[in-house]
Coordinates of all heavy atoms in Angstrom, one line a residue:
A55 N 104.2 89.0 99.5 CA 103.9 89.2 101.0 C 104.7 90.3 101.6 O 104.2 91.2 102.3 CB 104.0 87.9 101.7
I56 N 106.0 90.3 101.3 CA 107.0 91.3 101.8 C 106.5 92.6 101.2 O 106.5 93.7 102.1 CB 108.4 91.0 101.5 CG1 108.9 89.7 102.2 CG2 109.3 92.2 101.9 CD1 110.2 89.3 101.9
A57 N 106.3 92.7 99.9 CA 106.0 94.0 99.5 C 104.6 94.6 100.0 O 104.6 95.8 100.3 CB 105.7 93.9 97.9
G58 N 103.7 93.7 100.3 CA 102.4 94.1 100.8 C 102.6 94.6 102.3 O 102.0 95.7 102.6
A59 N 103.4 94.0 103.1 CA 103.8 94.4 104.4 C 104.5 95.8 104.4 O 104.1 96.7 105.3 CB 104.5 93.3 105.2
V60 N 105.5 95.9 103.6 CA 106.3 97.1 103.5 C 105.4 98.3 103.2 O 105.5 99.4 103.7 CB 107.4 97.0 102.5 CG1 108.1 98.4 102.3 CG2 108.5 96.0 103.1
F61 N 104.5 98.1 102.2 CA 103.5 99.1 101.8 C 102.5 99.5 102.8 O 102.1 100.7 102.9 CB 102.8 98.7 100.5 CG 102.1 99.8 99.8 CD1 102.8 100.7 99.0 CD2 100.7 100.0 99.9 CE1 102.2 101.6 98.4 CE2 100.0 100.9 99.3 CZ 100.8 101.8 98.5
V62 N 102.1 98.6 103.8 CA 101.0 98.9 104.6 C 101.6 99.5 106.0 O 101.0 100.3 106.6 CB 100.3 97.4 105.1 CG1 99.5 97.8 106.4 CG2 99.4 97.1 103.9
I63 N 102.8 99.1 106.4 CA 103.5 99.6 107.7 C 103.5 101.1 107.8 O 103.1 101.6 108.9 CB 104.8 99.0 107.9 CG1 104.8 97.5 108.2 CG2 105.5 99.6 109.0 CD1 106.1 96.7 108.2
P64 N 103.8 101.8 106.8 CA 103.9 103.3 107.0 C 102.5 103.9 107.3 O 102.4 104.8 108.0 CB 104.3 103.8 105.6 CG 105.1 102.7 105.1 CD 104.4 101.6 105.5
F65 N 101.4 103.3 106.8 CA 100.1 103.8 107.1 C 99.7 103.6 108.5 O 99.1 104.5 109.2 CB 99.0 103.1 106.2 CG 99.0 103.6 104.8 CD1 99.9 102.9 103.9 CD2 98.4 104.6 104.4 CE1 99.8 103.3 102.5 CE2 98.4 105.1 103.1 CZ 99.2 104.4 102.1
L66 N 100.2 102.5 109.2 CA 100.0 102.3 110.6 C 100.9 103.2 111.4 O 100.4 103.8 112.5 CB 100.4 100.8 110.9 CG 99.5 99.6 110.4 CD1 100.2 98.4 110.6 CD2 98.2 99.8 111.0
I67 N 102.1 103.5 111.0 CA 102.9 104.2 111.8 C 102.8 105.7 111.7 O 102.7 106.5 112.8 CB 104.4 104.0 111.3 CG1 104.8 102.6 111.6 CG2 105.3 105.0 112.2 CD1 106.2 102.3 111.1
F68 N 102.4 106.2 110.5 CA 102.2 107.7 110.4 C 100.8 108.3 110.1 O 100.7 109.5 110.1 CB 103.0 108.0 108.9 CG 104.4 107.8 109.2 CD1 105.1 106.9 108.1 CD2 105.2 108.2 110.0 CE1 106.4 106.6 108.2 CE2 106.6 107.9 110.1 CZ 107.2 107.1 109.3
S69 N 99.8 107.4 110.2 CA 98.4 107.9 109.9 C 98.0 109.0 111.1 O 97.4 110.0 110.8 CB 97.4 106.7 109.9 OG 97.5 106.0 108.8
A70 N 98.3 108.6 112.3 CA 97.9 109.6 113.4 C 98.6 110.9 113.3 O 98.2 112.0 113.4 CB 98.2 108.9 114.9
L71 N 100.0 110.8 113.0 CA 100.8 112.0 113.0 C 100.4 112.7 111.7 O 100.2 114.0 111.8 CB 102.3 111.5 112.7 CG 103.4 112.7 112.5 CD1 103.3 113.7 113.6 CD2 104.7 112.1 112.3
S72 N 100.1 112.1 110.7 CA 99.7 112.9 109.4 C 98.4 113.7 109.6 O 98.2 114.8 109.2 CB 99.6 111.9 108.2 OG 98.6 110.9 108.4
G73 N 97.5 113.0 110.4 CA 96.2 113.6 110.8 C 96.3 114.9 111.6 O 95.7 115.9 111.4
V74 N 97.3 114.6 112.5 CA 97.5 115.8 113.5 C 98.1 117.0 112.6 O 97.7 118.2 112.8 CB 98.6 115.5 114.6 CG1 99.0 116.7 115.3 CG2 97.7 114.5 115.5
L75 N 99.1 116.7 111.8 CA 99.7 117.8 110.9 C 98.8 118.5 110.2 O 98.7 119.6 109.9 CB 100.8 117.1 110.2 CG 102.2 116.7 110.8 CD1 103.0 116.1 109.8 CD2 102.8 118.1 111.4
A76 N 97.7 117.7 109.6 CA 96.8 118.3 108.6 C 95.8 119.1 109.4 O 95.3 120.2 108.8 CB 95.9 117.0 108.1
D77 N 95.8 119.1 110.7 CA 94.9 120.0 111.6 C 95.7 121.1 112.0 O 95.3 122.1 112.6 CB 94.3 119.2 112.8 CG 93.0 118.4 112.3 OD1 92.4 118.8 111.2 OD2 92.6 117.5 113.1
R78 N 97.1 121.1 111.9 CA 97.9 122.2 112.4 C 98.4 123.0 111.3 O 98.7 124.3 111.5 CB 99.1 121.5 113.2 CG 98.7 120.8 114.5 CD 99.9 120.1 115.1 NE 101.0 121.0 115.6 CZ 101.0 121.4 116.8 NH1 100.2 121.1 117.9 NH2 102.0 122.3 117.2
I79 N 98.6 122.4 110.1 CA 99.3 123.2 109.0 C 98.3 123.3 107.8 O 97.3 122.5 107.8 CB 100.5 122.4 108.5 CG1 101.4 122.2 109.7 CG2 101.3 123.2 107.4 CD1 102.7 121.4 109.3
S80 N 98.4 124.2 107.0 CA 97.6 124.4 105.8 C 97.5 123.0 105.0 O 98.6 122.5 104.6 CB 98.0 125.5 104.9 OG 97.4 125.4 103.6
K81 N 96.4 122.4 104.7 CA 96.3 121.2 104.0 C 96.8 121.4 102.5 O 97.4 120.4 102.1 CB 94.9 120.6 104.1 CG 94.4 120.4 105.4 CD 92.9 119.9 105.4 CE 92.4 119.8 106.8 NZ 92.3 120.9 107.6
Q82 N 96.6 122.4 101.9 CA 97.1 122.7 100.7 C 98.6 122.6 100.7 O 99.2 122.1 99.8 CB 96.5 124.0 100.1 CG 97.0 124.2 98.6 CD 98.2 125.1 98.5 OE1 98.8 125.5 99.5 NE2 98.6 125.2 97.2
R83 N 99.3 123.2 101.7 CA 100.7 123.2 101.8 C 101.2 121.8 102.0 O 102.2 121.5 101.3 CB 101.1 124.1 103.0 CG 102.6 124.4 103.1 CD 103.0 125.2 104.3 NE 104.3 125.3 104.4 CZ 105.0 125.8 105.5 NH1 104.2 126.4 106.4 NH2 106.3 125.9 105.6
I84 N 100.6 121.0 102.8 CA 101.0 119.6 103.0 C 101.0 118.9 101.6 O 101.8 118.1 101.4 CB 100.1 119.0 104.1 CG1 100.4 119.5 105.4 CG2 100.4 117.4 104.0 CD1 99.6 119.0 106.5
I85 N 99.8 119.1 100.9 CA 99.7 118.3 99.7 C 100.7 118.7 98.7 O 101.4 117.8 98.1 CB 98.3 118.7 99.0 CG1 97.2 118.1 99.9 CG2 98.2 118.2 97.5 CD1 95.7 118.5 99.4
V86 N 101.2 120.0 98.7 CA 102.2 120.5 97.7 C 103.6 119.7 98.0 O 104.3 119.3 97.4 CB 102.4 121.9 97.6 CG1 103.6 122.4 97.0 CG2 101.1 122.5 97.1
I87 N 103.8 119.7 99.4 CA 105.2 119.2 100.0 C 105.3 117.7 99.6 O 106.3 117.2 99.3 CB 105.2 119.5 101.5 CG1 105.5 120.9 101.8 CG2 106.4 118.7 102.1 CD1 105.4 121.3 103.3
V88 N 104.1 117.0 99.9 CA 104.0 115.6 99.7 C 104.2 115.2 98.4 O 105.0 114.3 98.0 CB 102.7 115.0 100.4 CG1 102.6 113.6 99.9 CG2 102.7 115.0 101.8
K89 N 103.5 116.0 97.3 CA 103.7 115.7 96.0 C 105.1 116.0 95.5 O 105.7 115.3 94.6 CB 102.7 116.5 95.2 CG 101.2 116.2 95.4 CD 101.0 114.7 95.5 CE 101.0 114.1 94.1 NZ 100.4 112.6 94.3
A90 N 105.7 117.0 96.0 CA 107.2 117.2 95.7 C 108.1 116.1 96.1 O 109.1 115.7 95.5 CB 107.6 118.5 96.4

Side-chain angles (χ1 to χ4, degrees):
I56 294 174
V60 171
F61 193 79
V62 167
I63 288 171
F65 288 93
L66 293 174
I67 297 175
F68 300 123
S69 286
L71 175 60
S72 60
V74 169
L75 288 176
D77 281 339
R78 293 172 67 95
I79 305 172
S80 165
K81 297 176 183 64
Q82 186 268 351
R83 184 180 177 187
I84 291 175
I85 289 171
V86 171
I87 292 172
V88 167
K89 299 312 289 185

